Amino acid sequence: MATTILNLPDDELIHPGNRACAGCGLSIIYRIGLKAIGRDTILVVPPSCLTVMQGLYPIAATQLPCLNVTFASTAAAATGVVAALKAQGRENTKVVAWAGDGGTSDIGIQALSGACERGEDFLYICYDNEAYMNTGVQRSGTTPQGVLTTTTPVIGKLQKSKNVPAIMAAHGLNYIATASASYPLDLYDKIKKAMGMPGTKYMHVHTPCPSGWGFDPRYSVKIGKLAVETGIFDLYEIENGEFRLTGPSKKLTPSKLKPVTEYFDTQSRFRALKEDQIASIQAGIHEKWDNY
Amino acid sequence: MGQDNFGKMKSHSEPGPGDGGKTGSWRVKRPIIDLTVCIPAKSGKVACFACWMYCPDGVITRTIPPVIDYEYCKGCEICAEECPVNAIEMVEETQFADKEG
Amino acid sequence: MHVIESGNVAAATGVKLARTQVIAAYPITPQTPLTEKLSEFVSKGQMTAQYIPVESEHSALSVCIAASSTGSRTFTATSANGLLYMSEQVHWASGARLPIVMCVVNRGVGAPWTVWNDHQDSISQRDTGWIQMHACDHQQILDTVLKAFMVAEKVSIPVMVCYDGYLLSHSYMPFEIPKQEDVDRFLPSFSSDCKLDPEHPLNQNTVTLPDVRPDIHGNMSPGYMEIRHNLQQDLICSLDVVKEVEDRFKGIFNRGGSPFIESYLCEDAEYVAVCMGSLSYQLRDVVDQLRNDGQKVGVAGVRLYRPFPNQAVIDAFSGKKGLVIFEKGISYGNQGPLFTDITSALYQVEERPFAHNYILGIGGREIKTQDLLDTFRKSIQSGRKNEIKTEWIGLKL
Ligand SMILES: Cc1ncc(C[n+]2csc(CCOP(=O)(O)OP(=O)(O)O)c2C)c(N)n1
Ligand code: SF4
Ligand code: SF4
Ligand code: SF4
Ligand SMILES: [Mg+2]
């Protein structure tokens, strides 16, 4: 049974008064995600906006035990926590690595790939705000084509974004899912499901970032929804190799897709996009959807 | 000899609220729930609570009526934007400045 | 039990006897047989550790850091570029105050590629806040691994056990394998009072401010600088712990010596050759020959490089006429690091010996006993002259 707003757990595992920007998409998914993760869990977090949100010594915003680790080491560190718990017979305690897109798709991908290949027993959550936000909005491997960042100024990023879930799928994981900050219940159910499965699980969460994307914080949820409704970011699961669209993406059809400009127009980071670029992105989305 | 004298200083933080201070001070506008419009407040029934779910900072209660903790509410307006019946109005903080000093 | 085995097997045996719980390592010459031996111990059920065949050295130490933070006894090993590749984590492990033990099977660093021995790898990590111990033979390798765990866990500082690649790692020598029950008596199981635990959720290694800041109870907590100062203080104090652990080891196993400087015929010596690692054994032959010629000479092998045993250096060398310091590493642009450390320790001594510095054996260049003999003689003759200049020996220019 799908979770509803009314039966989401009450327990708040992140304290208010943390340093995340107002309207931060990461704050939404972290708050709801921790409800799914539960207290008997050890978190592993590399440098990112989440590090700052976690709190500055000696105060922690998160109520779970958490290991802050170096940028490239997230999945290896999660491996180490799992190994130690096993060595001590504390296997009931679960391990969740929670990293940004830079920490996942760029500097941390070696350790992540190694852990996936070994099948280490933890859930890895990548929150994708599509740039290095913590250091002031530089391009990452998942920054979409055309986006303005401080290292892709003037004309925007030339390359397309990396498809990280597909890279994870190539490792043959038991469970891979995408989710979005705008659909917290879907996120909650997927994390719950992942937490109950053995081996390495990967979740990729689209995470609107008002500060880095250039929009008014009030629209964080709206914009995340638009990404799904335009077919730019799709919600799906790959369970034991079986791909299926889920939730709002399942209800979409190529003819129901909103034009991508509806999404692009909401954010200043897309303002350098040219007509032909938009047309080619739109064509790419239709091609993707025709193949679903 | 013994562990007691060594490793006394480690960057190990304890959970607690307000690491970033009273983030209510970030607010430019304050969300005010109109209890005559808010679904659970009006009907007295457990319903809706979209604002509670989407609030990034978890400062709205899932109670009848929902209550906002202004000490920490950052004023992002997501609650107002996502309320299905537009029960939340954003009011300029300057309006409250006089009364609260 | 006595066996004749390689230095790498001696190290692996120590790791097994220490009942290490989590091992992560990545192969690199000349450390590889040590890693292989450990995976064999685990696969055959001869030890119950979690063995993680990671995809890089950075990850090897990451696994150890995380497992140690979760309260397990952990071990890794590497050499040369492997150590350099994990350097970020080397600093992290000591900053986080984790009692990890790592064997560094000393090898020269690239470029160009070399797989042969010198000390540049561990020397380059000298300032990371780790304890660095050097072993000179197979028995010392095994014993030092056991002592390293004890010291690390008492002072919450990681320890590198360094030994020479090939010269020790791949050579076969007899050594004694202690009984498990004796090791258990020596080394209690590891317990940490601040491990990652949902019952007592702590957020470890959080961003720490330049200044002090009150905690949630209103008590003032240290800033970054206090935390780093504490590491330095504890490193200095760990000198006493290293000594105590050595004595305790001797009490149970009836072997060992000075954990700081291992001296050979130094008591009445006027001139002392100083070095680290297996070279000290080769220098014993040199000293024997010079003694035959009537020279009062000795050898001092520095066994603890960090924290540097300044007082032991002063005690050992003040009153000597001269020191001849042989090194397999260099601080490029300056001089041999051991030379720097020793001369700086002796700066405050009124009657300080002259000190000469020789760099040798870089990238596995053969160290000829005759060269050592000639150099030692030359140094004794030249005395105070030549003091500052660092010379390379065995060069073929
Ligand atoms: C080895 C290393 N290189 C660079 C950095 C600087 N750095 C810290 S966070 C960050 C970007 C993080 O980006 P991402 O993972 O996408 O998380 P976000 O900040 O967007 O939440 C960078 C480059 C670092 N901490 N460590
Ligand atoms: S920069 Fe973006 S992701 Fe980071 S805290 Fe601010 S809104 Fe959140
Ligand atoms: S979202 Fe609006 S209607 Fe729903 S509980 Fe909140 S204020 Fe009331
Ligand atoms: S959603 Fe934003 S404005 Fe509304 S209560 Fe939460 S923090 Fe305040
Ligand atoms: Mg990012």
Side-chain angles (χ1 to χ4, degrees):
Chain A
M1 262 270 290
T3 305
T4 68
I5 296 186
L6 301 182
N7 60 19
L8 271 176
D10 249 328
D11 210 8
E12 297 289 349
L13 297 175
I14 165 116
H15 283 291
N18 61 60
R19 292 168 200 259
C21 307
C24 170
L26 168 61
S27 293
I28 299 177
I29 63 166
Y30 197 59
R31 177 176 161 245
I32 302 294
L34 290 186
K35 287 175 187 282
I37 284 166
R39 285 185 186 265
D40 197 6
T41 305
I42 294 171
L43 295 169
V44 178
V45 174
S48 57
C49 281
L50 183 51
T51 321
V52 179
M53 201 168 121
Q54 293 278 16
L56 268 46
Y57 178 74
I59 305 172
T62 305
Q63 301 196 42
L64 263 47
C66 174
L67 185 65
N68 289 282
V69 300
T70 60
F71 206 15
S73 71
T74 315
T79 301
V81 177
V82 170
L85 291 174
K86 214 171 188 181
Q88 297 166 37
R90 294 163 62 197
E91 278 125 309
N92 284 343
T93 300
K94 303 271 191 234
V95 179
V96 174
W98 196 309
D101 49 289
T104 302
S105 74
D106 295 336
I107 196 166
I109 200 160
Q110 172 181 313
L112 176 57
S113 174
C116 290
E117 183 266 334
R118 294 190 303 271
E120 304 292 352
D121 188 2
F122 61 81
L123 168 61
Y124 189 106
I125 298 176
C126 168
Y127 69 96
D128 190 0
N129 53 21
E130 301 182 336
Y132 300 165
M133 296 312 177
N134 185 236
T135 40
V137 200
Q138 295 82 32
R139 86 193 279 289
S140 80
T142 69
T143 302
Q145 198 172 21
V147 163
L148 291 168
T149 68
T150 55
T151 50
T152 55
V154 189
I155 54 169
K157 184 178 166 183
L158 298 175
Q159 302 80 7
K160 288 182 181 160
S161 68
K162 252 188 224 188
N163 185 344
V164 185
I167 297 171
M168 292 300 104
H171 288 75
L173 303 189
N174 294 341
Y175 189 72
I176 294 159
T178 61
S180 159
S182 302
Y183 301 97
L185 296 171
D186 177 68
L187 171 85
Y188 179 91
D189 285 336
K190 284 171 174 167
I191 292 180
K192 270 270 176 215
K193 183 173 192 174
M195 294 292 288
M197 296 176 83
T200 319
K201 289 80 60 179
Y202 178 81
M203 287 189 53
H204 198 95
V205 189
H206 194 240
T207 309
C209 162
S211 314
W213 293 7
F215 65 84
D216 191 313
R218 69 188 301 173
Y219 299 121
S220 279
V221 173
K222 289 264 145 68
I223 283 173
K225 284 187 176 164
L226 271 174
V228 172
E229 289 158 0
T230 51
I232 286 176
F233 189 87
D234 308 323
L235 300 173
Y236 59 81
E237 285 178 325
I238 306 173
E239 200 174 339
N240 301 317
E242 293 276 324
F243 176 98
R244 69 173 164 272
L245 291 169
T246 57
S249 290
K250 197 165 81 182
K251 294 187 197 113
L252 272 177
T253 56
S255 62
K256 279 198 244 163
L257 294 174
K258 289 184 175 166
V260 289
T261 46
E262 275 193 36
Y263 177 67
F264 293 158
D265 290 346
T266 58
Q267 302 154 61
S268 68
R269 64 175 175 152
F270 289 114
R271 69 181 180 273
L273 274 177
K274 306 241 165 24
E275 290 297 320
D276 58 328
Q277 280 178 303
I278 293 171
S280 112
I281 292 169
Q282 185 67 75
I285 286 188
H286 278 295
E287 197 185 310
K288 177 179 76 175
W289 272 85
D290 288 340
N291 289 325
Y292 274 153
Chain B
M1 185 156 83
Q3 221 180 4
D4 309 349
N5 310 318
F6 288 91
K8 279 274 163 251
M9 288 187 195
K10 292 175 184 149
S11 181
H12 290 184
S13 299
E14 270 182 276
D19 162 61
K22 304 283 187 223
T23 47
S25 66
W26 299 8
R27 239 177 11 244
V28 183
K29 288 184 192 162
R30 180 179 300 196
I32 304 284
I33 304 176
D34 183 343
L35 300 184
T36 63
V37 182
C38 164
I39 299 167
K42 203 167 94 178
S43 66
K45 292 204 178 98
V46 175
C48 187
F49 297 122
C51 53
W52 170 81
M53 179 175 74
Y54 283 115
C55 174
D57 291 90
V59 296
I60 308 182
T61 58
R62 192 172 45 177
T63 50
I64 306 171
V67 179
I68 298 174
D69 178 357
Y70 294 118
E71 201 168 3
Y72 292 117
C73 159
K74 292 173 181 167
C76 69
E77 297 195 42
I78 289 179
C79 53
E81 189 67 28
E82 297 309 316
C83 174
V85 291
N86 290 323
I88 301 178
E89 191 196 349
M90 298 302 296
V91 182
E92 294 286 342
E93 276 296 325
T94 48
Q95 303 251 341
F96 305 94
D98 304 342
K99 280 171 240 156
E100 288 166 15
Chain C
M1 185 176 63
H2 262 87
V3 294
I4 297 178
E5 259 297 355
S6 71
N8 278 330
V9 169
T13 306
V15 175
K16 171 167 157 271
L17 287 168
R19 299 192 187 276
T20 309
Q21 293 167 290
V22 177
I23 300 164
Y26 191 77
I28 182 169
T29 306
Q31 161 265 30
T32 307
L34 163 52
T35 308
E36 291 169 340
K37 194 71 194 173
L38 288 170
S39 63
E40 182 191 316
F41 282 153
V42 174
S43 302
K44 286 185 174 164
Q46 292 166 352
M47 105 181 258
T48 51
Q50 299 294 313
Y51 179 92
I52 315 291
V54 284
E55 80 300 327
S56 79
E57 288 89 354
H58 194 278
S59 286
L61 195 46
S62 305
V63 167
C64 291
I65 285 170
S68 186
S69 305
T70 314
S72 285
R73 182 173 287 163
T74 66
F75 176 84
T76 185
T78 190
S79 297
N81 289 60
L83 181 61
L84 306 185
Y85 193 53
M86 58 167 72
S87 182
E88 178 190 33
Q89 302 300 75
V90 176
H91 285 267
W92 195 269
S94 53
R97 304 301 303 266
L98 300 169
I100 296 162
V101 171
M102 164 159 70
C103 280
V104 176
V105 188
N106 287 118
R107 157 182 160 178
V109 301
W113 279 120
T114 171
V115 295
W116 295 280
N117 168 249
D118 67 37
H119 290 169
Q120 198 65 31
D121 51 2
S122 62
I123 288 289
S124 79
Q125 302 301 301
R126 172 189 73 173
D127 299 335
T128 53
W130 282 55
I131 293 170
Q132 291 192 334
M133 299 175 172
H134 279 262
C136 310
D137 63 25
H138 294 35
Q139 189 69 60
Q140 279 186 12
I141 293 173
L142 192 162
D143 294 353
T144 307
V145 165
L146 298 176
K147 293 173 205 169
F149 276 113
M150 174 134 237
V151 170
E153 289 166 17
K154 281 195 181 299
V155 302
S156 296
I157 296 171
V159 179
M160 278 181 214
V161 177
C162 308
Y163 57 92
D164 288 312
Y166 286 118
L167 301 173
L168 293 178
S169 66
H170 284 63
S171 63
Y172 282 67
M173 279 196 216
F175 58 91
E176 162 87 16
I177 298 180
K179 286 204 211 68
Q180 183 69 59
E181 67 230 47
D182 288 340
V183 174
D184 291 345
R185 202 146 55 88
F186 171 71
L187 183 67
S189 58
F190 174 51
S191 75
S192 162
D193 51 6
C194 53
K195 60 176 182 286
L196 290 165
D197 181 2
E199 298 279 320
H200 308 280
L202 289 174
N203 208 298
Q204 302 196 0
N205 316 319
T206 357
V207 177
T208 300
L209 294 164
D211 212 342
V212 297
R213 186 184 185 213
D215 66 13
I216 54 168
H217 313 288
N219 302 321
M220 200 51 84
S221 288
Y224 179 89
M225 189 149 149
E226 284 73 27
I227 290 174
R228 285 289 167 160
H229 175 254
N230 183 247
L231 170 60
Q232 164 71 355
Q233 294 296 101
D234 284 359
L235 265 164
I236 303 295
C237 292
S238 67
L239 283 165
D240 292 339
V241 176
V242 169
K243 181 76 179 67
E244 284 162 31
V245 167
E246 184 77 20
D247 293 344
R248 190 177 140 78
F249 189 89
K250 211 179 292 172
I252 293 177
F253 300 99
N254 205 16
R255 59 169 180 269
S258 163
F260 305 138
I261 297 173
E262 190 175 56
S263 300
Y264 178 72
L265 302 181
C266 284
E267 197 101 312
D268 65 334
E270 295 174 337
Y271 304 98
V272 177
V274 190
C275 67
M276 293 198 291
S278 61
L279 180 59
S280 67
Y281 284 19
Q282 195 179 355
L283 278 165
R284 288 181 185 192
D285 294 341
V286 174
V287 161
D288 288 343
Q289 292 189 43
L290 287 170
R291 284 259 170 190
N292 283 341
D293 299 349
Q295 296 275 18
K296 285 190 170 171
V297 290
V299 184
V302 174
R303 297 198 48 208
L304 185 72
Y305 186 53
R306 282 294 178 275
F308 195 65
N310 285 295
Q311 192 54 50
V313 166
I314 293 169
D315 294 346
F317 302 140
S318 51
K320 302 293 179 205
K321 285 188 179 162
L323 302 179
V324 188
I325 299 162
F326 294 100
E327 297 193 62
K328 294 181 179 179
I330 184 159
S331 172
Y332 283 101
N334 194 21
Q335 52 196 186
L338 183 61
F339 177 79
T340 309
D341 287 323
I342 288 176
T343 50
S344 114
L346 294 173
Y347 184 75
Q348 35 183 319
V349 174
E350 280 198 18
E351 301 261 311
R352 57 175 188 270
F354 72 77
H356 291 175
N357 189 204
Y358 297 100
I359 309 298
L360 77 179
I362 298 299
R365 172 60 55 87
E366 189 191 351
I367 299 172
K368 296 210 168 85
T369 304
Q370 189 61 45
D371 283 350
L372 294 171
L373 197 59
D374 294 346
T375 311
F376 205 164
R377 278 207 184 102
K378 191 181 81 181
S379 269
I380 292 171
Q381 277 155 19
S382 61
R384 287 241 166 250
K385 282 178 281 159
N386 254 346
E387 261 213 289
I388 296 304
K389 210 171 90 204
T390 293
E391 280 181 44
W392 293 49
I393 55 178
L395 273 180
K396 299 182 181 173
L397 292 172

